[in-house]
Structures are given as structure tokens and as C-alpha cells.
Coordinates of all heavy atoms in Angstrom, one line a residue:
K1 N -81.2 -24.9 -146.8 CA -80.6 -23.6 -147.1 C -80.1 -22.9 -145.8 O -80.4 -21.8 -145.5 CB -81.6 -22.7 -147.8 CG -82.0 -23.2 -149.2 CD -83.0 -22.3 -149.9 CE -83.2 -22.8 -151.2 NZ -84.4 -23.5 -151.5
L2 N -79.3 -23.7 -145.0 CA -78.8 -23.2 -143.8 C -77.6 -22.2 -144.1 O -76.8 -22.5 -145.0 CB -78.3 -24.3 -142.9 CG -79.4 -25.3 -142.5 CD1 -78.9 -26.5 -141.7 CD2 -80.6 -24.6 -141.8
T3 N -77.5 -21.2 -143.3 CA -76.5 -20.2 -143.6 C -75.4 -20.1 -142.5 O -74.4 -19.4 -142.7 CB -77.2 -18.8 -143.7 OG1 -77.8 -18.5 -142.5 CG2 -78.2 -18.7 -144.9
F4 N -75.6 -20.8 -141.4 CA -74.6 -20.8 -140.3 C -73.6 -21.9 -140.6 O -74.0 -22.9 -141.3 CB -75.2 -20.8 -138.9 CG -76.3 -21.9 -138.7 CD1 -75.9 -23.2 -138.4 CD2 -77.6 -21.6 -138.9 CE1 -76.8 -24.2 -138.2 CE2 -78.5 -22.6 -138.7 CZ -78.2 -23.9 -138.4
P5 N -72.4 -21.9 -140.0 CA -71.4 -22.9 -140.2 C -71.9 -24.3 -139.7 O -72.4 -24.3 -138.6 CB -70.2 -22.4 -139.5 CG -70.4 -21.0 -139.2 CD -71.9 -20.8 -139.2
I6 N -71.6 -25.3 -140.4 CA -71.8 -26.7 -140.0 C -70.4 -27.3 -140.0 O -69.8 -27.5 -141.1 CB -72.7 -27.5 -141.0 CG1 -74.0 -26.7 -141.3 CG2 -73.0 -28.8 -140.5 CD1 -75.0 -26.5 -140.2
L7 N -70.0 -27.7 -138.8 CA -68.6 -28.3 -138.7 C -68.7 -29.8 -138.6 O -69.5 -30.3 -137.8 CB -67.9 -27.7 -137.5 CG -67.9 -26.2 -137.4 CD1 -67.3 -25.8 -136.0 CD2 -67.1 -25.6 -138.5
P8 N -67.8 -30.5 -139.3 CA -67.8 -32.0 -139.1 C -67.2 -32.2 -137.7 O -66.1 -31.8 -137.4 CB -66.9 -32.5 -140.2 CG -66.1 -31.3 -140.7 CD -66.9 -30.1 -140.3
A9 N -67.9 -32.9 -136.9 CA -67.4 -33.0 -135.5 C -67.8 -34.4 -134.8 O -68.0 -34.4 -133.6 CB -68.0 -31.9 -134.7
Y10 N -67.9 -35.4 -135.6 CA -68.3 -36.7 -135.0 C -67.4 -37.1 -133.8 O -67.9 -37.4 -132.7 CB -68.3 -37.8 -136.1 CG -68.6 -39.2 -135.5 CD1 -70.0 -39.5 -135.3 CD2 -67.6 -40.1 -135.2 CE1 -70.3 -40.7 -134.8 CE2 -68.0 -41.3 -134.7 CZ -69.3 -41.6 -134.5 OH -69.6 -42.8 -133.9
D11 N -66.1 -37.1 -134.1 CA -65.1 -37.6 -133.0 C -65.2 -36.6 -131.8 O -65.2 -37.0 -130.6 CB -63.7 -37.7 -133.5 CG -63.5 -38.8 -134.5 OD1 -64.3 -39.8 -134.4 OD2 -62.6 -38.8 -135.3
Y12 N -65.3 -35.3 -132.1 CA -65.3 -34.3 -131.0 C -66.6 -34.5 -130.2 O -66.6 -34.5 -128.9 CB -65.2 -32.9 -131.6 CG -65.3 -31.8 -130.5 CD1 -64.3 -31.7 -129.6 CD2 -66.3 -30.9 -130.5 CE1 -64.3 -30.7 -128.6 CE2 -66.4 -30.0 -129.5 CZ -65.4 -29.8 -128.6 OH -65.5 -28.8 -127.6
A13 N -67.7 -34.6 -130.8 CA -69.0 -34.6 -130.1 C -69.2 -35.9 -129.4 O -69.6 -35.9 -128.2 CB -70.1 -34.5 -131.1
T14 N -68.8 -37.0 -130.0 CA -69.0 -38.3 -129.3 C -67.9 -38.6 -128.3 O -68.1 -39.3 -127.3 CB -69.1 -39.5 -130.3 OG1 -67.9 -39.5 -131.1 CG2 -70.4 -39.3 -131.2
G15 N -66.7 -38.2 -128.6 CA -65.5 -38.5 -127.7 C -65.3 -37.5 -126.6 O -65.3 -37.8 -125.4
T16 N -65.2 -36.2 -127.0 CA -64.9 -35.2 -126.0 C -66.1 -34.7 -125.3 O -66.1 -34.6 -124.1 CB -64.2 -34.0 -126.7 OG1 -63.0 -34.5 -127.4 CG2 -63.8 -32.9 -125.7
L17 N -67.2 -34.4 -126.0 CA -68.4 -33.8 -125.4 C -69.3 -34.9 -124.9 O -70.2 -34.6 -124.1 CB -69.2 -33.0 -126.4 CG -68.5 -31.8 -127.0 CD1 -69.3 -31.1 -128.0 CD2 -68.1 -30.8 -125.9
K18 N -69.1 -36.2 -125.3 CA -70.0 -37.3 -124.9 C -71.4 -37.1 -125.2 O -72.3 -37.3 -124.4 CB -69.8 -37.6 -123.4 CG -68.4 -37.8 -122.9 CD -67.8 -39.0 -123.5 CE -66.4 -39.2 -122.9 NZ -65.5 -40.0 -123.7
V19 N -71.7 -36.5 -126.4 CA -73.1 -36.3 -126.9 C -73.7 -37.7 -127.1 O -73.2 -38.4 -127.9 CB -73.1 -35.4 -128.1 CG1 -74.5 -35.4 -128.7 CG2 -72.6 -34.0 -127.8
L20 N -74.8 -37.9 -126.5 CA -75.5 -39.2 -126.6 C -76.9 -39.0 -127.3 O -77.4 -40.0 -127.8 CB -75.7 -39.9 -125.3 CG -74.4 -40.2 -124.5 CD1 -74.7 -40.7 -123.1 CD2 -73.5 -41.1 -125.3
S21 N -77.4 -37.8 -127.4 CA -78.7 -37.6 -128.0 C -78.6 -36.3 -128.8 O -77.9 -35.4 -128.4 CB -79.8 -37.6 -127.0 OG -79.6 -36.5 -126.1
I22 N -79.4 -36.2 -129.9 CA -79.4 -35.0 -130.7 C -80.9 -34.7 -131.0 O -81.7 -35.6 -131.0 CB -78.6 -35.1 -132.0 CG1 -79.1 -36.3 -132.8 CG2 -77.1 -35.3 -131.7 CD1 -78.5 -36.4 -134.2
P23 N -81.2 -33.5 -131.3 CA -80.3 -32.3 -131.3 C -80.1 -31.8 -129.9 O -80.9 -32.0 -129.0 CB -81.1 -31.3 -132.1 CG -82.5 -31.6 -131.9 CD -82.6 -33.1 -131.8
Q24 N -79.0 -31.1 -129.7 CA -78.7 -30.4 -128.5 C -78.5 -28.9 -128.8 O -77.9 -28.6 -129.9 CB -77.5 -30.9 -127.8 CG -77.7 -32.3 -127.2 CD -76.6 -32.7 -126.3 OE1 -75.8 -31.9 -125.8 NE2 -76.6 -34.0 -126.0
N25 N -78.9 -28.1 -128.0 CA -78.8 -26.6 -128.2 C -78.1 -26.0 -127.0 O -78.5 -26.2 -125.8 CB -80.2 -26.0 -128.3 CG -81.0 -26.7 -129.4 OD1 -80.8 -26.5 -130.6 ND2 -82.0 -27.5 -129.0
W26 N -77.0 -25.4 -127.2 CA -76.2 -24.8 -126.1 C -76.1 -23.3 -126.4 O -75.9 -22.8 -127.5 CB -74.8 -25.3 -126.1 CG -74.7 -26.8 -125.9 CD1 -75.8 -27.7 -125.8 CD2 -73.5 -27.6 -125.9 NE1 -75.3 -29.0 -125.7 CE2 -73.9 -29.0 -125.7 CE3 -72.2 -27.3 -125.9 CZ2 -73.0 -30.0 -125.6 CZ3 -71.3 -28.3 -125.8 CH2 -71.7 -29.6 -125.6
V27 N -76.2 -22.5 -125.3 CA -75.9 -21.1 -125.3 C -74.6 -21.0 -124.5 O -74.6 -21.3 -123.3 CB -77.0 -20.3 -124.7 CG1 -76.6 -18.8 -124.7 CG2 -78.3 -20.4 -125.6
V28 N -73.6 -20.5 -125.1 CA -72.3 -20.3 -124.5 C -72.0 -18.8 -124.2 O -72.2 -18.0 -125.1 CB -71.1 -20.9 -125.3 CG1 -69.8 -20.7 -124.7 CG2 -71.4 -22.4 -125.7
G29 N -71.7 -18.5 -123.0 CA -71.5 -17.1 -122.6 C -70.2 -16.5 -123.2 O -69.4 -17.2 -123.8
P30 N -70.0 -15.2 -122.9 CA -68.8 -14.6 -123.5 C -67.5 -15.1 -123.1 O -66.5 -14.8 -123.7 CB -69.0 -13.1 -123.1 CG -70.0 -13.1 -122.1 CD -70.8 -14.3 -122.2
H31 N -67.4 -15.9 -122.0 CA -66.1 -16.4 -121.5 C -66.0 -17.9 -121.8 O -65.1 -18.6 -121.3 CB -66.0 -16.2 -120.0 CG -66.1 -14.7 -119.7 ND1 -65.1 -13.8 -120.0 CD2 -67.0 -14.0 -119.1 CE1 -65.4 -12.6 -119.6 NE2 -66.6 -12.7 -119.0
G32 N -66.9 -18.4 -122.7 CA -66.7 -19.8 -123.2 C -67.4 -20.8 -122.2 O -67.2 -22.0 -122.4
I33 N -68.2 -20.3 -121.3 CA -68.8 -21.2 -120.3 C -70.2 -21.6 -120.9 O -71.0 -20.7 -121.2 CB -68.9 -20.6 -118.9 CG1 -67.5 -20.3 -118.4 CG2 -69.8 -21.5 -118.0 CD1 -67.5 -19.5 -117.2
V34 N -70.6 -22.9 -120.9 CA -71.9 -23.3 -121.3 C -72.9 -22.8 -120.2 O -72.8 -23.2 -119.1 CB -72.0 -24.8 -121.5 CG1 -73.5 -25.2 -121.8 CG2 -71.1 -25.3 -122.6
R35 N -73.7 -21.8 -120.6 CA -74.7 -21.2 -119.6 C -76.0 -21.9 -119.7 O -76.7 -22.0 -118.7 CB -74.8 -19.7 -119.9 CG -73.5 -18.9 -119.9 CD -72.7 -19.1 -118.6 NE -73.5 -18.6 -117.5 CZ -73.0 -18.7 -116.2 NH1 -71.9 -19.2 -116.0 NH2 -73.8 -18.2 -115.3
L36 N -76.5 -22.3 -120.8 CA -77.8 -23.0 -121.0 C -77.7 -24.1 -121.9 O -76.9 -24.1 -122.9 CB -78.8 -22.0 -121.5 CG -79.0 -20.7 -120.6 CD1 -79.6 -19.6 -121.4 CD2 -79.9 -21.1 -119.4
K37 N -78.4 -25.2 -121.6 CA -78.3 -26.4 -122.5 C -79.7 -27.0 -122.6 O -80.4 -27.1 -121.6 CB -77.3 -27.4 -121.9 CG -77.1 -28.6 -122.7 CD -76.1 -29.5 -122.0 CE -75.9 -30.8 -122.8 NZ -74.9 -31.7 -122.1
G38 N -80.1 -27.4 -123.8 CA -81.3 -28.1 -124.0 C -81.2 -29.2 -125.0 O -80.3 -29.2 -125.9
V39 N -81.9 -30.3 -124.8 CA -81.9 -31.4 -125.7 C -83.3 -31.5 -126.4 O -84.3 -31.3 -125.8 CB -81.7 -32.7 -125.0 CG1 -81.7 -33.9 -125.9 CG2 -80.3 -32.7 -124.2
G40 N -83.3 -31.6 -127.7 CA -84.5 -31.7 -128.5 C -84.9 -30.5 -129.2 O -84.2 -29.5 -129.1
Y41 N -86.0 -30.6 -129.9 CA -86.5 -29.5 -130.7 C -88.0 -29.5 -130.6 O -88.6 -30.6 -130.6 CB -86.0 -29.5 -132.1 CG -86.7 -28.5 -133.0 CD1 -86.3 -27.2 -133.0 CD2 -87.7 -28.9 -133.9 CE1 -86.9 -26.3 -133.8 CE2 -88.3 -28.0 -134.7 CZ -87.9 -26.7 -134.7 OH -88.5 -25.8 -135.4
D42 N -88.6 -28.3 -130.5 CA -90.0 -28.2 -130.5 C -90.4 -27.3 -131.6 O -90.0 -26.1 -131.6 CB -90.4 -27.6 -129.1 CG -91.9 -27.4 -129.0 OD1 -92.7 -27.6 -129.9 OD2 -92.3 -27.0 -127.9
P43 N -91.2 -27.7 -132.6 CA -91.5 -26.9 -133.7 C -92.5 -25.7 -133.4 O -92.7 -24.9 -134.3 CB -92.1 -27.9 -134.7 CG -92.7 -28.9 -133.9 CD -91.8 -29.1 -132.7

């Protein structure tokens, strides 16, 4: 029951972003700059 947008992004994530592991969590600042990045999830 997720309420936030889920975008199909296989080509973008693997080709442009070079995502090799998931999950990844990014916080992007107001000017579009990735300010914080984390890999993984801790329950």
C-alpha cells in the first residue's frame, strides 16, 4: 500500500545512474544536487 510515486526506471537506473545495488536512498537538495546517499535498509 505505497502512496508515493513508483517510476519505471530500469534503463535510467542501470544506464545513466549506474545503480549496482539496491535499495539506495538519496536526499536531493533544493537545487537538484544529491546531498546524502545511502545503500541498504535497516528495519
